[in-house]
Amino acid sequence: MPGMAVQGYLVLSVVLFVIGLAGVLVRRSPLVMLMSIELMWGAAGLLFLTFARLWAGMEGHIFSFLIIVVGAAEAAIGLALIVLIFRTRDAADVDDVRALRG
Amino acid sequence: MPDISDLMQIAPLVALAAVALLVIVVDLMVPARMARGTILVTAAGGLLVVGWYLLDLWSQVVPLPEFAARALAPFGGALALDGLSFAASALILAAAFFAVLLSTTEQARDMSGYVSLMLLAALGMMVLAGTSDLMVMFVALEVLSLSLYVLVAFRRGDAKAREGAFKYFLLGSVAAGLLLYGFALLYGVTGATKLAGIAAFARQGTIGPLYHAGFALVVIGFGFKLALAPFHTWAPDAYQGAPAPVTAFMAIGTKAAAFVALARFVWAAVPSDPVLAAAYLTPIGVLAGVSMLVGSLGALFQTNLKRLLAYSGVAHAGYLFLPLMSLTPEAFGQSLFYLFAYLCMAGGAFAVLVARSVEAGGDAGAAADAAELSGWRGLYQRRPGLALATALFFLAMAGMPPTAGFTGKLFLITGGIEARAWWLLAAMVASTGISAYVYLRVAGSVFRSPEAEAAAVAEMGPVPGAHLSGSHPAGAVGIVAGTAPSPLAWERVAVGAVLLLAVAGILLLGLFPNLLLPGLQGLLPVR
Amino acid sequence: MENGYWVLALIPGLPLVGAAANAAFRRRWGKPALAGTASAMVAMAFVATLASLVRYLGLESHDALSLTLWSWGVPGVGLGLLGDAVSLWFALVVTGVGLLIHIYAAAYMSDDPDYGRFFAELNYFIFAMSLLVLADGFLGMLVGWANVGLASYLLIGFWNERPAAAAASRKAFWVNTVGEVGLILAMAILWNQFGSLRFADVLPQAGLAQPEILNWVALLLLVGAVAKSAQLPLHVWLPDAMQGPTPVSALIHAATMVTAGVYLAVRAFPIFEAAPWGLTAVAAVGAASALFGAIVAVGQNDIKRVLAFSTMSQVGYMILGAGVGAYSAALFHFMTHAFFKAALFLGAGIVIHHFHGEQDIRRMGGLGKQLPFAYWTFLLGTLALIGLPPLSGFFSKDEIVVELLVTGHTGLWAVAVAAAALTAFYMTRLFCLVFTGDAPAKPGAKHRGQKGTTGHAAGGHDSGHGVPALESVPVLILTVLSVGAGVLWIPGITAVPEHFLGRVIEQYAGAGHAAAMDTGLAKTVTVAALMGVALLAMALAVRLYGPARQGAGPQPRWQSVLTNGLYLDDLYRAVIVRPLLASAAYVGGVIDPHVVDGAVNGVARLAGTLAVGVRRLQAGYVRRYALILMGGTALIVLYFVML
Amino acid sequence: MSWVVLIAALVALVAAMAVVRARIPVHSVLALVLNLVCLAVLFIVLDAEFMGLMQVIVYAGAVMVLFLFVVSLLGARKEAIEREMSLLAGQEGMGVVAAGVLLVALLMAVLRQPLPAPAQVYPGFGAVRAFGAALFYDHVLVLQLAALLLMVAVVGVVVLIARRDQGR
């Protein structure tokens, strides 16, 4: 694997990460926000595996495995919360959820 | 390769996990009528056992005078059981113990999940404070975060609880993503996931922009959990939505664990080059200073006590960083001492909140009302002991001598002077000035009463309980003893115990800081 | 050093017990029991102070009494009590004057429903104040310092159902906190430099630290002193603090607490002397406050506010004295001032009760015929404050002003003399407006309808019934002391304060201050100047406000033509009175409320605006929270990448 | 090999954009699945074959099914589940700016960082045997913690959703 390729992977990961982040900031659907967060985590996973390849070490693999495990658990909790909050509303729009402020 | 002796070294952690599971089993086996009590007693007893385990391990393996230099490193160095982690673990266990005692007033019936999650969160915090491996840090952080997301939303049918949990969850996941990305970048540059490897790189390697970015992202990720401004926005909303015991636990435990983890990380990852080290510490100082100001300003006009304490927690998180600016081993002791003081002050304040909501009826609506400061007026006329305790907690937060808040602040300032962090000290002065006003407003409001109310009380003669608490030197006893027996009697005992412990802690740490301080200095093994 | 002298612990300890007892039994004990307990505790503390004094006088000259209460386990840090000349001097006044004011308050507050709370707080104050002056290190002093602030907060806001009182108490606490933070910072630096916070460790080696460090320490200590002693520019809380009950004003805001800054300046004088700018800063602050307070007092119309600004001015004299090395004189003035200012305040309380809560001196008058007791005591207090011989104020103020000239501070001397002239003017004006002339048409026209001040209107003493003995005896004792305390320091004959306090001060002082002028000459010049300006100012004030005044309006021209013929009055008016009143109106009406107080309020308003901003960001939108988070992240990452 | 990488990377990017831009949540889910599958391809190219498989099976498979369930639960009433108008003025613009600044910063960091040449990997690197050895020998503590984390998730969802109150 040529050295330039590593940089390519890194750029891809950064762009994916920032896309996910922008999704959190601009979208109002809680589901899409959650999916955007998954994008960010996925980008981090790509980064870990790229670096694991770079160093030929297994730590990156374990780390990205953890990302999948934790991501699944996190998605379960997050989806449960979303269902609790938005099941009774007409529109699933996070801007409506603002009883707490100040 | 791990072996069985590793397991012995993490006995407290294993025991805590076992108690968390046991609680659920108990719920399944005990008749529903007795379930709540059994669960809470199991959890409180379990925490005491774990604490005993911890102290036993601490004293056997690392005798006090020399523990600065020694540390256990089971699992190939994944855990770093040094003085820092033992002290933080003791703090976290105490916070969990407080929270469990305060939880006796929660009226919901499915307590097993709640208590189990609380214990698991404590486990996550202890691991987070005691690890030197990025992987373990990440998973431990998630264990505590996921538990807390659920605990915040625990109150069934309370829309605000759900909302707070959702906001905490969403922002927390984003912050976890940032932290993860930072870990990935550091791994990429250094090839290590252990802090030792990162520290070696920080001393010898060529430090490039990717390392800088990774460091920044990790600081931000932990800063979020610490509620440093501008990453604090979740805190007031989540604190307000959560049941008061959970808020107390979050405020104290998470802060301690995340601070220790961040301090450990900074201790390892800041480059040895002094110019670069200063450049690394500057933004951390800026975050701390901004937190102090934002925290005290945000609390200025709050009428909801939970939000007020959330903002005050933001400011306190900033104070913790004053000694850290010098990055000497003593600095960690000074910050940890303040965390212990904060345990007593915030724990006590939340206990008062719980006591108020019990007084008001104990359901969710009453709890929400109890957090509103307007209802605190005239508390002195009804419950003098509780009012005096309240005043003590908030005056301690304001740094009034001779309380723990004062000694803690004095040590922090000494550390800040040692570090020559003048502008951060200036920020602290401004923040202290603003927040003195805030805390005094709370402490004063319990003594203020409309004239009519005072006159009415005078006509009725001594209110029930007033004479009892008046005759006890420690006013907090009156909360326990001075109220008529009611179905909530033993809940009152539990809350009163927390109040007494907090009062005792504030006074003891204020008058005799040497009980704790020498044990907290030089906590880190040599880098 | 005689350690373990346990009687010292009684001085703060007994009032603390009294406070606890009053708080605990405030509903079940009768009023005599409450007031009796509180007063008895202070009385015993006073006796304990006297006992300590006797014991101290029996020691060798550089010895002191001490008592270690507890230690933090860190060497040099702990809480102990120290009984040396300076601390016992203060303790004597705190417990002595405190006792008299307790007795006075027993009668004065007799109609207040919160009687027990009042005495609990008053006793608590005595505890905190005696701890402040008796502590053997900066740490204990700070403990007392902060508790004094809290007690003051509680007492100013005693009638906390009044918004003005609540606001005033918060302001006082806020300003005090500023000073406290200054003290804490100074302590942290001292700890960092000397590894100890005990006076006995720090003060002897104060000169060994780096000068710029010492400058910082001195500045921060001065911030603490200025805040507590209501000196420029942190005096803003003192006039507002007059919202508290009058005994509180007498005890805390005239006799004892406001002199804590003087105590600090004298106690820590080796630090101030070793710091290059230390003494200069102290003297400048003192002189400025002495003059400023006097100017503002000229234009005030509330009887308690006049006295409040007068306090600021007189404490300025003490600070000024400490700033030029005249420590004994400063402490002597502290003592005499405690006597006559307490007498004046207590007298003012009688006056206010007489007028049913009225505090505006323009609506008073003619009290001399109705209340001869108040007339004579107030007159003697006024004359003592003005500094006429042979009253005590003459000797103490004179000592300070002479010392200014002796040490060559001619400019400061002129300021002090000018302030003395103003003092004579505003005090005479106050006295004339209240006690001479005709009684107002409708006494007590202005009912406030609140408890406390008007409590006596219902069934209390009326104008015909004179003054209750519990009120008159303390005032009488204080008046006698204000008249006679001067014998302690009659130049050339007695110099008790100098010898007594010198035991401590000479311990650290260097070779003494170079005398710029012969003492005898300085004394002559100063006495002549002080007496001259004081008499002139008094004459002027009597002329303007005395019995011959006609209403509040300007004097008609024909009268002055008749009485003078030479238009001397017009000359006075044009040259002295108009500029004086105009400047008083300007300083008191514009600079003080708008510039100095305005700056304090402005800071508060700025904080309020920022707080609203912080809360506006917290608008509940989770996406906005995420944006704040990400904005911060982007900036920090950008900073790091740019490294 | 490199064209596979290029295509997978491009598709992953396009899919990510689609996740964020799609008006209908189901489309977002499908785009996210596509993105994750493309990432899995890249993982395999990076000698992480086990992780590639895990990605497809666990993430793109199981977790995304969970998302689909919730989408159908919430979105059954309407197609687009967000309101048309945003309540927050300037949020989108400022969000894009913040993301842009972070993008520039991170790209600068990535492009200015000198990186060593990739090391030689041993045969079997990234395969299930090597992975298992690493997980069970070197990182067993993390594995235990991950197990606890899953328990937290289970207990948490039960606490949040289950209606035990009504049962009693």
Side-chain angles (χ1 to χ4, degrees), chain A residues 69-100:
Chain A
V69 174
V70 174
E74 183 120 4
I77 299 279
L79 289 171
L81 277 171
I82 290 173
V83 168
L84 266 184
I85 294 178
F86 294 97
R87 192 169 41 190
T88 56
R89 288 174 196 259
D90 280 345
D93 190 325
V94 293
D95 283 1
D96 293 340
V97 184
R98 54 184 296 252
L100 299 170

mmCIF file of all heavy atoms in Angstrom, chain A residues 69-100:
data_model
loop_
_atom_site.group_PDB
_atom_site.id
_atom_site.type_symbol
_atom_site.label_atom_id
_atom_site.label_comp_id
_atom_site.label_asym_id
_atom_site.label_seq_id
_atom_site.Cartn_x
_atom_site.Cartn_y
_atom_site.Cartn_z
ATOM 1 N N VAL A 69 -19.768 -2.325 18.718
ATOM 2 C CA VAL A 69 -20.531 -2.787 19.897
ATOM 3 C C VAL A 69 -21.196 -1.604 20.596
ATOM 4 O O VAL A 69 -22.405 -1.584 20.854
ATOM 5 C CB VAL A 69 -19.588 -3.531 20.870
ATOM 6 C CG1 VAL A 69 -20.326 -3.867 22.143
ATOM 7 C CG2 VAL A 69 -19.041 -4.785 20.219
ATOM 8 N N VAL A 70 -20.361 -0.596 20.884
ATOM 9 C CA VAL A 70 -20.893 0.556 21.597
ATOM 10 C C VAL A 70 -21.938 1.265 20.748
ATOM 11 O O VAL A 70 -22.976 1.705 21.258
ATOM 12 C CB VAL A 70 -19.744 1.509 21.989
ATOM 13 C CG1 VAL A 70 -20.301 2.773 22.592
ATOM 14 C CG2 VAL A 70 -18.806 0.836 22.944
ATOM 15 N N GLY A 71 -21.662 1.361 19.447
ATOM 16 C CA GLY A 71 -22.618 2.024 18.556
ATOM 17 C C GLY A 71 -23.963 1.324 18.585
ATOM 18 O O GLY A 71 -25.015 1.965 18.612
ATOM 19 N N ALA A 72 -23.942 -0.005 18.618
ATOM 20 C CA ALA A 72 -25.210 -0.745 18.668
ATOM 21 C C ALA A 72 -25.952 -0.432 19.959
ATOM 22 O O ALA A 72 -27.160 -0.149 19.949
ATOM 23 C CB ALA A 72 -24.932 -2.244 18.548
ATOM 24 N N ALA A 73 -25.218 -0.481 21.086
ATOM 25 C CA ALA A 73 -25.865 -0.205 22.368
ATOM 26 C C ALA A 73 -26.410 1.211 22.392
ATOM 27 O O ALA A 73 -27.533 1.468 22.837
ATOM 28 C CB ALA A 73 -24.854 -0.406 23.501
ATOM 29 N N GLU A 74 -25.615 2.120 21.893
ATOM 30 C CA GLU A 74 -26.005 3.518 21.886
ATOM 31 C C GLU A 74 -27.253 3.716 21.013
ATOM 32 O O GLU A 74 -28.177 4.447 21.388
ATOM 33 C CB GLU A 74 -24.827 4.346 21.363
ATOM 34 C CG GLU A 74 -25.059 5.819 21.361
ATOM 35 C CD GLU A 74 -24.048 6.552 22.223
ATOM 36 O OE1 GLU A 74 -23.130 5.905 22.745
ATOM 37 O OE2 GLU A 74 -24.190 7.765 22.361
ATOM 38 N N ALA A 75 -27.264 3.043 19.862
ATOM 39 C CA ALA A 75 -28.422 3.171 18.982
ATOM 40 C C ALA A 75 -29.668 2.642 19.672
ATOM 41 O O ALA A 75 -30.755 3.228 19.560
ATOM 42 C CB ALA A 75 -28.164 2.414 17.688
ATOM 43 N N ALA A 76 -29.524 1.532 20.407
ATOM 44 C CA ALA A 76 -30.692 0.965 21.088
ATOM 45 C C ALA A 76 -31.266 1.972 22.080
ATOM 46 O O ALA A 76 -32.479 2.250 22.075
ATOM 47 C CB ALA A 76 -30.288 -0.319 21.807
ATOM 48 N N ILE A 77 -30.384 2.544 22.913
ATOM 49 C CA ILE A 77 -30.862 3.514 23.903
ATOM 50 C C ILE A 77 -31.447 4.739 23.204
ATOM 51 O O ILE A 77 -32.531 5.231 23.562
ATOM 52 C CB ILE A 77 -29.694 3.943 24.812
ATOM 53 C CG1 ILE A 77 -29.129 2.752 25.566
ATOM 54 C CG2 ILE A 77 -30.150 5.039 25.767
ATOM 55 C CD1 ILE A 77 -29.876 2.359 26.777
ATOM 56 N N GLY A 78 -30.728 5.218 22.201
ATOM 57 C CA GLY A 78 -31.171 6.422 21.513
ATOM 58 C C GLY A 78 -32.512 6.232 20.854
ATOM 59 O O GLY A 78 -33.406 7.088 20.962
ATOM 60 N N LEU A 79 -32.669 5.101 20.187
ATOM 61 C CA LEU A 79 -33.946 4.862 19.516
ATOM 62 C C LEU A 79 -35.070 4.734 20.538
ATOM 63 O O LEU A 79 -36.184 5.225 20.308
ATOM 64 C CB LEU A 79 -33.845 3.608 18.654
ATOM 65 C CG LEU A 79 -32.970 3.792 17.403
ATOM 66 C CD1 LEU A 79 -32.738 2.476 16.702
ATOM 67 C CD2 LEU A 79 -33.612 4.792 16.456
ATOM 68 N N ALA A 80 -34.764 4.105 21.677
ATOM 69 C CA ALA A 80 -35.794 3.996 22.710
ATOM 70 C C ALA A 80 -36.225 5.382 23.173
ATOM 71 O O ALA A 80 -37.421 5.668 23.319
ATOM 72 C CB ALA A 80 -35.258 3.189 23.888
ATOM 73 N N LEU A 81 -35.239 6.267 23.383
ATOM 74 C CA LEU A 81 -35.579 7.627 23.808
ATOM 75 C C LEU A 81 -36.403 8.342 22.749
ATOM 76 O O LEU A 81 -37.384 9.038 23.050
ATOM 77 C CB LEU A 81 -34.297 8.413 24.077
ATOM 78 C CG LEU A 81 -33.662 8.223 25.443
ATOM 79 C CD1 LEU A 81 -32.304 8.885 25.487
ATOM 80 C CD2 LEU A 81 -34.562 8.809 26.510
ATOM 81 N N ILE A 82 -35.987 8.165 21.487
ATOM 82 C CA ILE A 82 -36.709 8.849 20.411
ATOM 83 C C ILE A 82 -38.152 8.361 20.355
ATOM 84 O O ILE A 82 -39.088 9.150 20.199
ATOM 85 C CB ILE A 82 -35.974 8.621 19.072
ATOM 86 C CG1 ILE A 82 -34.659 9.393 19.083
ATOM 87 C CG2 ILE A 82 -36.839 9.057 17.905
ATOM 88 C CD1 ILE A 82 -33.798 9.118 17.897
ATOM 89 N N VAL A 83 -38.332 7.065 20.474
ATOM 90 C CA VAL A 83 -39.699 6.523 20.454
ATOM 91 C C VAL A 83 -40.514 7.116 21.606
ATOM 92 O O VAL A 83 -41.647 7.553 21.429
ATOM 93 C CB VAL A 83 -39.659 4.987 20.552
ATOM 94 C CG1 VAL A 83 -41.045 4.436 20.823
ATOM 95 C CG2 VAL A 83 -39.116 4.401 19.269
ATOM 96 N N LEU A 84 -39.881 7.166 22.799
ATOM 97 C CA LEU A 84 -40.597 7.704 23.956
ATOM 98 C C LEU A 84 -41.057 9.129 23.710
ATOM 99 O O LEU A 84 -42.167 9.515 24.083
ATOM 100 C CB LEU A 84 -39.664 7.710 25.164
ATOM 101 C CG LEU A 84 -39.698 6.523 26.104
ATOM 102 C CD1 LEU A 84 -38.766 6.789 27.263
ATOM 103 C CD2 LEU A 84 -41.103 6.320 26.610
ATOM 104 N N ILE A 85 -40.200 9.927 23.115
ATOM 105 C CA ILE A 85 -40.520 11.353 23.000
ATOM 106 C C ILE A 85 -41.436 11.631 21.822
ATOM 107 O O ILE A 85 -42.379 12.403 21.916
ATOM 108 C CB ILE A 85 -39.222 12.164 22.871
ATOM 109 C CG1 ILE A 85 -38.424 12.050 24.152
ATOM 110 C CG2 ILE A 85 -39.528 13.620 22.569
ATOM 111 C CD1 ILE A 85 -37.118 12.765 24.115
ATOM 112 N N PHE A 86 -41.148 10.998 20.687
ATOM 113 C CA PHE A 86 -41.795 11.456 19.459
ATOM 114 C C PHE A 86 -42.986 10.599 19.046
ATOM 115 O O PHE A 86 -43.647 10.906 18.067
ATOM 116 C CB PHE A 86 -40.767 11.516 18.324
ATOM 117 C CG PHE A 86 -39.716 12.557 18.575
ATOM 118 C CD1 PHE A 86 -38.497 12.226 19.127
ATOM 119 C CD2 PHE A 86 -39.965 13.892 18.282
ATOM 120 C CE1 PHE A 86 -37.536 13.184 19.374
ATOM 121 C CE2 PHE A 86 -39.013 14.859 18.534
ATOM 122 C CZ PHE A 86 -37.801 14.510 19.073
ATOM 123 N N ARG A 87 -43.269 9.549 19.787
ATOM 124 C CA ARG A 87 -44.371 8.695 19.374
ATOM 125 C C ARG A 87 -45.691 9.457 19.414
ATOM 126 O O ARG A 87 -46.564 9.265 18.596
ATOM 127 C CB ARG A 87 -44.447 7.484 20.293
ATOM 128 C CG ARG A 87 -45.367 6.402 19.779
ATOM 129 C CD ARG A 87 -45.203 5.153 20.578
ATOM 130 N NE ARG A 87 -45.079 5.453 22.000
ATOM 131 C CZ ARG A 87 -44.729 4.553 22.902
ATOM 132 N NH1 ARG A 87 -44.458 3.316 22.536
ATOM 133 N NH2 ARG A 87 -44.647 4.866 24.170
ATOM 134 N N THR A 88 -45.806 10.357 20.374
ATOM 135 C CA THR A 88 -47.091 11.033 20.533
ATOM 136 C C THR A 88 -47.156 12.364 19.797
ATOM 137 O O THR A 88 -48.108 13.105 19.958
ATOM 138 C CB THR A 88 -47.345 11.281 22.020
ATOM 139 O OG1 THR A 88 -46.242 12.010 22.542
ATOM 140 C CG2 THR A 88 -47.507 9.984 22.771
ATOM 141 N N ARG A 89 -46.155 12.686 19.014
ATOM 142 C CA ARG A 89 -46.165 13.995 18.354
ATOM 143 C C ARG A 89 -46.504 13.839 16.879
ATOM 144 O O ARG A 89 -46.232 12.823 16.272
ATOM 145 C CB ARG A 89 -44.797 14.659 18.477
ATOM 146 C CG ARG A 89 -44.519 15.136 19.884
ATOM 147 C CD ARG A 89 -43.110 15.635 19.966
ATOM 148 N NE ARG A 89 -42.715 15.749 21.361
ATOM 149 C CZ ARG A 89 -42.688 16.900 22.020
ATOM 150 N NH1 ARG A 89 -42.984 18.021 21.413
ATOM 151 N NH2 ARG A 89 -42.340 16.928 23.281
ATOM 152 N N ASP A 90 -47.025 14.919 16.314
ATOM 153 C CA ASP A 90 -47.346 14.896 14.888
ATOM 154 C C ASP A 90 -46.085 14.838 14.050
ATOM 155 O O ASP A 90 -45.953 14.043 13.136
ATOM 156 C CB ASP A 90 -48.150 16.152 14.516
ATOM 157 C CG ASP A 90 -49.598 15.962 14.902
ATOM 158 O OD1 ASP A 90 -49.972 14.811 15.166
ATOM 159 O OD2 ASP A 90 -50.327 16.968 14.948
ATOM 160 N N ALA A 91 -45.176 15.754 14.354
ATOM 161 C CA ALA A 91 -43.953 15.816 13.583
ATOM 162 C C ALA A 91 -42.790 15.487 14.503
ATOM 163 O O ALA A 91 -42.731 15.962 15.631
ATOM 164 C CB ALA A 91 -43.766 17.208 12.990
ATOM 165 N N ALA A 92 -41.892 14.659 13.993
ATOM 166 C CA ALA A 92 -40.707 14.353 14.779
ATOM 167 C C ALA A 92 -39.669 15.424 14.481
ATOM 168 O O ALA A 92 -38.896 15.321 13.549
ATOM 169 C CB ALA A 92 -40.182 12.967 14.428
ATOM 170 N N ASP A 93 -39.709 16.485 15.247
ATOM 171 C CA ASP A 93 -38.866 17.629 14.970
ATOM 172 C C ASP A 93 -38.224 18.052 16.297
ATOM 173 O O ASP A 93 -38.917 18.407 17.245
ATOM 174 C CB ASP A 93 -39.724 18.761 14.405
ATOM 175 C CG ASP A 93 -38.873 19.894 13.869
ATOM 176 O OD1 ASP A 93 -37.809 20.175 14.449
ATOM 177 O OD2 ASP A 93 -39.284 20.495 12.874
ATOM 178 N N VAL A 94 -36.897 18.022 16.344
ATOM 179 C CA VAL A 94 -36.260 18.282 17.639
ATOM 180 C C VAL A 94 -36.465 19.715 18.091
ATOM 181 O O VAL A 94 -36.342 20.011 19.269
ATOM 182 C CB VAL A 94 -34.743 17.974 17.604
ATOM 183 C CG1 VAL A 94 -34.510 16.505 17.431
ATOM 184 C CG2 VAL A 94 -34.049 18.779 16.544
ATOM 185 N N ASP A 95 -36.766 20.623 17.167
ATOM 186 C CA ASP A 95 -36.977 22.000 17.582
ATOM 187 C C ASP A 95 -38.213 22.145 18.464
ATOM 188 O O ASP A 95 -38.378 23.138 19.163
ATOM 189 C CB ASP A 95 -37.110 22.922 16.366
ATOM 190 C CG ASP A 95 -35.750 23.198 15.755
ATOM 191 O OD1 ASP A 95 -34.760 22.652 16.281
ATOM 192 O OD2 ASP A 95 -35.677 23.933 14.764
ATOM 193 N N ASP A 96 -39.100 21.155 18.418
ATOM 194 C CA ASP A 96 -40.291 21.233 19.265
ATOM 195 C C ASP A 96 -39.998 20.873 20.714
ATOM 196 O O ASP A 96 -40.818 21.131 21.588
ATOM 197 C CB ASP A 96 -41.364 20.270 18.738
ATOM 198 C CG ASP A 96 -41.879 20.713 17.393
ATOM 199 O OD1 ASP A 96 -41.706 21.901 17.082
ATOM 200 O OD2 ASP A 96 -42.430 19.880 16.663
ATOM 201 N N VAL A 97 -38.877 20.218 20.912
ATOM 202 C CA VAL A 97 -38.587 19.709 22.257
ATOM 203 C C VAL A 97 -37.753 20.742 22.991
ATOM 204 O O VAL A 97 -36.542 20.737 22.945
ATOM 205 C CB VAL A 97 -37.830 18.372 22.161
ATOM 206 C CG1 VAL A 97 -37.617 17.808 23.542
ATOM 207 C CG2 VAL A 97 -38.603 17.397 21.322
ATOM 208 N N ARG A 98 -38.430 21.673 23.618
ATOM 209 C CA ARG A 98 -37.662 22.709 24.314
ATOM 210 C C ARG A 98 -38.410 23.229 25.531
ATOM 211 O O ARG A 98 -38.496 24.419 25.792
ATOM 212 C CB ARG A 98 -37.274 23.850 23.389
ATOM 213 C CG ARG A 98 -38.432 24.495 22.645
ATOM 214 C CD ARG A 98 -37.932 25.530 21.685
ATOM 215 N NE ARG A 98 -37.268 26.639 22.334
ATOM 216 C CZ ARG A 98 -37.782 27.861 22.439
ATOM 217 N NH1 ARG A 98 -38.971 28.120 21.960
ATOM 218 N NH2 ARG A 98 -37.100 28.820 23.007
ATOM 219 N N ALA A 99 -38.921 22.308 26.303
ATOM 220 C CA ALA A 99 -39.536 22.737 27.560
ATOM 221 C C ALA A 99 -38.466 23.173 28.565
ATOM 222 O O ALA A 99 -38.712 24.006 29.425
ATOM 223 C CB ALA A 99 -40.372 21.607 28.145
ATOM 224 N N LEU A 100 -37.300 22.592 28.459
ATOM 225 C CA LEU A 100 -36.199 22.939 29.360
ATOM 226 C C LEU A 100 -35.337 24.002 28.699
ATOM 227 O O LEU A 100 -34.810 23.785 27.626
ATOM 228 C CB LEU A 100 -35.349 21.703 29.649
ATOM 229 C CG LEU A 100 -36.035 20.534 30.332
ATOM 230 C CD1 LEU A 100 -35.139 19.325 30.331
ATOM 231 C CD2 LEU A 100 -36.392 20.912 31.739
#
